[in-house]
Amino acid sequence: MSEEKCCVVTCDLPLDQTYWDNQYQANATGWDLGQVSPPIKKYIDTIENKEAKILIPGCGNTYEAEYLLQKGFTKVTVIDIAPTLVENLKQKFANNKSITVILGDFFEHQGDYDYIIEQTFFCALPPTMRQKYVWKMHQLLSDYGKLIGLLFNREFEVSPPFGGTLKEYEQLFYKAFTFNSISLAGNSIPSRANSELFFEFQKSELNQVTLYHFEGITCTGCRNTVSAKFLEIEGVLTVSMNANFSELIIVSKTEIELTQLQELVSYDEKYKILKAPND
């Protein structure tokens, strides 16, 4: 699946605005299907409310947005970090009031959406950002809002894209979302056949999802110890820490006091935990 590669020269560069803008300037967009992904197109056809607020993050050339507009949807928002791409999109949709095109960092975006469509955004992020992704998606969705789309069910020799597994996704999104469905997509394009999972996750509006920054952990054993301590707190449902131990999300019935978390990790003076800002 070499067509999925997106690096211009090297994959050792930071995956920042400059990196992604270089891909569009060089037309090195191997992930671009040139069409709406068939599983997403099929799902869009089932949405009856044409005034539903829909967000597409990391939108790329956003064939999904084009299709939504063709189907009569009136409140479509797309966001991407690459200036070259966004300028092209703004020109393309300049006369269409049903779509808002935003240049910006998804994780700084504020809004309230009924649907968020995932199409090769998750896989473009470093795996260390996956906990933050879950938190931000939960934050941006309205009550009973849905996160839908595709996730890769495979790994890649060269990244991005970054792959994953069904088991990993189930653990990552557990309790933050209700899993309405997640299964192997049966109608992927041929080059992605048997490698995509189509999912529909619904926001668990009764549960709190809180993101924290963490300092001091250097091994998986210590991560597991800290996570186990947090899981013992009444009302805590899940604890998920990222791969470099710098961020974690806690899903709980009510938000846990930061002082309580700090007290639990005070046995090691190197450990510091801070709540991430909401914007």
Side-chain angles (χ1 to χ4, degrees):
M1 293 180 65
S2 60
E3 70 277 1
E4 301 295 348
K5 295 180 181 179
C6 63
C7 301
V8 173
V9 179
T10 174
C11 288
D12 296 326
L13 296 172
L15 300 181
D16 56 10
Q17 184 179 68
T18 299
Y19 174 91
W20 290 111
D21 202 48
N22 285 342
Q23 312 310 307
Y24 288 100
Q25 290 185 18
N27 198 29
T29 54
W31 65 87
D32 191 308
L33 299 183
Q35 65 180 64
V36 186
S37 180
I40 294 177
K41 181 178 180 181
K42 182 178 179 180
Y43 185 89
I44 289 172
D45 289 341
T46 69
I47 304 175
E48 296 180 357
N49 180 12
K50 303 302 182 183
E51 295 186 357
K53 294 174 290 183
I54 301 175
L55 173 68
I56 305 177
C59 62
N61 285 307
T62 199
Y63 307 107
E64 289 73 24
E66 284 188 83
Y67 188 66
L68 286 164
L69 296 174
Q70 291 171 16
K71 298 292 288 186
F73 288 87
T74 61
K75 296 179 181 178
V76 180
T77 300
V78 299
I79 182 171
D80 205 285
I81 201 171
T84 299
L85 166 71
V86 170
E87 182 57 32
N88 291 338
L89 293 179
K90 286 184 175 181
Q91 293 179 19
K92 182 177 184 177
F93 297 116
N95 298 319
N96 196 321
K97 295 182 179 180
S98 294
I99 184 170
T100 301
V101 180
I102 298 174
L103 171 64
D105 184 341
F106 165 77
F107 293 99
E108 297 177 359
H109 182 60
Q110 298 296 308
D112 182 58
Y113 297 95
D114 302 305
Y115 294 91
I116 300 179
I117 296 177
E118 166 56 54
Q119 165 65 341
T120 63
F121 176 56
F122 180 92
C123 70
L125 297 170
T128 52
M129 297 187 70
R130 291 184 174 179
Q131 281 72 16
K132 191 173 185 178
Y133 174 102
V134 173
W135 165 75
K136 190 62 179 181
M137 288 297 181
H138 192 275
Q139 186 184 62
L140 288 173
L141 284 167
S142 58
D143 289 349
Y144 305 103
K146 294 178 180 179
L147 171 63
I148 71 99
L150 295 162
L151 297 167
F152 278 118
N153 188 34
R154 57 161 294 187
E155 298 296 341
F156 295 89
E157 292 183 6
V158 178
S159 298
F162 300 93
T165 65
L166 174 61
K167 182 178 180 180
E168 177 188 357
Y169 303 142
E170 288 177 336
Q171 293 175 340
L172 183 63
F173 290 93
Y174 183 60
K175 292 297 184 180
F177 292 86
T178 299
F179 297 173
N180 290 345
S181 66
I182 180 169
S183 62
L184 193 67
N187 57 339
S188 298
I189 64 169
S191 63
R192 295 184 184 178
N194 301 313
S195 68
E196 291 182 312
L197 298 168
F198 185 82
F199 68 95
E200 180 190 82
F201 295 162
Q202 185 166 315
K203 177 179 177 177
S204 296
E205 75 285 348
L206 297 180
N207 295 336
Q208 299 285 322
V209 180
T210 311
L211 177 71
Y212 298 91
H213 300 302
F214 205 101
E215 297 179 10
I217 291 181
T218 57
C219 68
T220 56
C222 296
R223 177 186 64 187
N224 294 341
T225 298
V226 168
S227 297
K229 287 182 177 292
F230 290 164
L231 279 169
E232 292 176 354
I233 300 174
E234 183 177 357
V236 170
L237 302 173
T238 66
V239 177
S240 178
M241 186 175 288
N242 67 357
N244 66 0
F245 319 123
S246 63
E247 290 183 336
L248 74 152
I249 52 172
I250 294 179
V251 183
S252 55
K253 294 180 179 178
T254 58
E255 189 172 330
I256 308 303
E257 291 290 336
L258 182 61
T259 53
Q260 185 175 5
L261 299 174
Q262 291 171 329
E263 178 63 26
L264 284 173
V265 299
S266 62
Y267 64 91
D268 191 319
E269 62 181 13
K270 299 190 302 295
Y271 292 166
K272 296 180 181 179
I273 183 169
L274 296 170
K275 182 181 175 183
N278 288 327
D279 51 40

